[in-house]
Amino acid sequence: MRLNGIEIDNVPAELHGMRLLDYLRTERGLTGAKEGCGMGECGSCTVVIDGAAVTSCLVLVGQVLDAEIRTVEGLADAGHGPLQRAFVARQAVQCGYCIPGVLNSCAALLDRVPDPDDEQIRTALDGNLCRCTAYNRFYDAVHDAACERRTDQAGQA
Ligand code: FES
Ligand code: FES
């Protein structure tokens, strides 16, 4: 697998049956992904696998040996610093628990759809539960990040 841009080709066979969530947290020290429900319902364990937001509690390590995986720790290096800054600026971060998964879902969306509308953001966040109902702030932050990324890309062209 390739994890946050680093090739990992020596995952021991005894770990192939481990949940990806546990592997990331205990074997790689990447504790951004959190365990909430452990059943694919809350989204707090969401990471990006081959460009798609996926709940890592439902994935086994052996299923992703050839995959490209990104966790919240790799977001900035993947060009999503603007998204993280926008979440802070919009005061969209009410807790440290759901946000890593929310950010990964939003980042996967922005990689697919550079300028998403509210409906597309809502759909992308369908699997991410936030109990403090900061969703409107999530939308604002995604729009801000999309705008900043477009401006940056125009500047580089
Ligand atoms: S812990 Fe994975 S979806 Fe809730
Ligand atoms: S910001 Fe985490 S539950 Fe709402």
Side-chain angles (χ1 to χ4, degrees):
M1 72 176 72
R2 196 166 167 79
L3 178 57
N4 291 333
I6 297 170
E7 203 65 50
I8 298 171
D9 51 17
N10 58 348
V11 181
E14 62 266 29
L15 298 182
H16 290 189
M18 181 183 256
R19 298 185 309 171
L20 177 61
L21 173 61
D22 298 323
Y23 175 75
L24 293 171
R25 293 179 57 83
T26 64
E27 301 296 320
R28 309 307 316 184
L30 298 169
T31 54
K34 303 291 190 291
E35 172 140 23
C37 65
M39 303 168 55
E41 300 287 344
C42 73
S44 64
C45 65
T46 302
V47 300
V48 180
I49 301 177
D50 291 335
V54 176
T55 50
S56 62
C57 69
L58 297 184
V59 175
L60 297 180
V61 171
Q63 295 175 292
V64 292
L65 293 176
D66 297 322
E68 173 98 36
I69 301 168
R70 189 176 67 217
T71 69
V72 72
E73 290 87 349
L75 268 187
D77 285 345
H80 288 293
L83 180 65
Q84 293 175 297
R85 287 194 294 277
F87 265 68
V88 173
R90 288 286 185 172
Q91 298 185 325
V93 181
Q94 305 296 314
C95 84
Y97 218 84
C98 72
I99 291 297
V102 168
L103 284 170
N104 278 326
S105 292
C106 293
L109 171 66
L110 285 170
D111 285 341
R112 275 196 328 275
V113 184
D115 189 16
D117 59 27
D118 282 351
E119 185 58 24
Q120 289 169 312
I121 300 170
R122 191 190 66 73
T123 300
L125 288 173
D126 260 359
N128 295 89
L129 295 182
C130 166
R131 280 172 221 159
C132 34
T133 62
Y135 287 97
N136 286 344
R137 296 181 187 190
F138 296 164
Y139 293 10
D140 291 339
V142 172
H143 289 307
D144 288 354
C147 181
E148 185 176 336
R149 275 160 60 96
R150 280 198 307 279
T151 304
D152 286 351
Q153 283 161 6
Q156 288 164 11

